[in-house]
Amino acid sequence: MTSCLLYRSSDRHFRPRFYRVEIAMNLFEEVSVLREWGVAGSKGTSKIDIFGNLRHASEAADKARKAALRRGYHRTEAA
């Protein structure tokens, strides 16, 4: 399982936002890419995409991470 957590706080009047991407195996021996996003402190929204192999899942997760970085999110240190 691999996970990446990003935050964005562009304006002091808005609450910080989060974007999380995680790669994990599911029960059917497929690879899942979980994406979660929203306002920090809230439940947020999530989406799961299923891939037949780790390479395709990794490429999709990396594409989502790069898109979030372009939108102003920045990587945080793991707690």
Side-chain angles (χ1 to χ4, degrees), residues 2-61:
T2 302
S3 183
C4 176
L5 182 60
L6 306 168
Y7 279 101
R8 181 179 77 182
S9 57
S10 58
D11 190 335
R12 65 186 176 123
H13 298 291
F14 295 105
R15 290 173 46 195
R17 300 186 59 80
F18 70 92
Y19 192 91
R20 190 181 114 181
V21 180
E22 181 176 309
I23 299 173
M25 295 295 292
N26 67 21
L27 295 174
F28 304 105
E29 297 184 15
E30 299 167 321
V31 185
S32 300
V33 175
L34 168 66
R35 294 183 293 145
E36 296 178 310
W37 62 92
V39 175
S42 71
K43 182 179 176 184
T45 304
S46 63
K47 181 176 180 182
I48 298 175
D49 295 309
I50 307 296
F51 297 89
N53 61 54
L54 182 59
R55 185 183 65 160
H56 291 139
S58 180
E59 290 169 352

